[in-house]
Amino acid sequence: MSKADRTRQLIIEKSAHLFNQKGYAGTSMQDIMGATGLTKGGIYGHFDSKEEIALEAFEHAAAHLMQLLGDSITPHTSATKKLEALLAFYKTYLYAPPIQGGCPVLNTSVEADDTNPLLRASVVRVLNKLHKSVANIVRLGLTQGEFKAIADAERFAILFVSMIEGGVMVSKAYGEAKYLHTVLQHLQQLIQQELKV
């Protein structure tokens, strides 16, 4: 990796935490300069705009999250165990988020829904990957004969992702994990009641 590439990566990594904690509107170029130790010219030598930095910072944060989620399910061959590994991952999510400030998908989607079409499109791509991953696990369970033949992979994926993201949001708002934990417990019941043979 060249020095220029390393500097660009430093800006992305430091900015990912800033944007996730303070949001796009709340993060200034001064903040990015302070976090990276670079001058404004040094930053703009690698990026054309704050929006470009925000977009790459979100994509970095989301890729890190997806990698961790992938790492949590990879050791398991059973579809049930894969889904349970995802639930276990989110159990500690509020206390030890992979990116400072909480869930980058949730934080960015709330802020960018009406104000930043590029960031919103990036959030949608990540949500699509999450939905597809969960749906693929359910399909695996169908193929393995682990899940009921009537199990609807798409429907379950929508419920799974939406409930977790909603649980994270409500728990963050109240400052209490019980809301997310209630969602995770309910999803565990759905796995047993709706999916399992």
Side-chain angles (χ1 to χ4, degrees):
M1 190 182 278
S2 70
K3 184 179 178 190
D5 289 338
R6 284 196 306 273
T7 302
R8 184 180 174 85
Q9 190 60 29
L10 170 80
I11 296 167
I12 290 168
E13 288 174 6
K14 297 287 186 183
S15 297
H17 296 287
L18 284 174
F19 284 115
N20 202 44
Q21 289 176 298
K22 302 177 84 171
Y24 177 75
T27 301
S28 67
M29 286 306 294
Q30 285 295 127
D31 293 327
I32 298 170
M33 289 162 59
T36 60
L38 297 168
T39 63
K40 191 179 280 192
I43 294 167
Y44 281 126
H46 297 277
F47 295 92
D48 292 331
S49 65
K50 181 177 125 178
E51 183 178 51
E52 184 185 358
I53 300 169
L55 189 59
E56 294 223 21
F58 169 72
E59 288 174 355
H60 167 78
H64 181 57
L65 172 61
M66 295 300 287
Q67 178 68 50
L68 292 173
L69 287 169
D71 291 348
S72 74
I73 63 173
T74 299
H76 305 285
T77 53
S78 149
T80 301
K81 292 292 183 196
K82 286 179 183 290
L83 290 176
E84 288 173 347
L86 290 177
L87 296 179
F89 175 86
Y90 280 103
K91 213 168 211 172
T92 59
Y93 198 66
L94 293 172
Y95 307 113
I99 303 291
Q100 293 168 19
C103 179
V105 178
L106 174 65
N107 293 347
T108 307
S109 66
V110 169
E111 186 179 29
D113 64 346
D114 295 319
T115 59
N116 194 313
L118 288 176
L119 267 175
R120 182 179 176 275
S122 191
V123 168
V124 168
R125 282 193 296 276
V126 174
L127 285 170
N128 286 342
K129 285 181 189 173
L130 286 168
H131 284 119
K132 185 177 178 183
S133 295
V134 174
N136 284 341
I137 293 171
V138 175
R139 288 189 194 100
L140 173 68
L142 287 165
T143 304
Q144 292 174 334
E146 210 178 320
F147 294 159
K148 296 171 186 168
I150 59 165
D152 184 333
E154 296 297 325
R155 177 183 175 277
F156 186 82
I158 290 168
L159 286 171
F160 193 93
V161 174
S162 300
M163 288 172 70
I164 286 177
E165 289 295 332
V168 170
M169 181 189 72
V170 174
S171 276
K172 285 233 359 161
Y174 279 107
E176 290 184 48
K178 72 176 182 181
Y179 301 95
L180 176 58
H181 288 174
T182 300
V183 164
L184 297 176
Q185 287 165 5
H186 185 66
L187 284 169
Q188 180 68 58
Q189 290 170 357
L190 284 182
I191 292 168
Q192 298 303 318
Q193 294 167 5
E194 285 199 10
L195 297 182
K196 292 275 286 178
V197 171

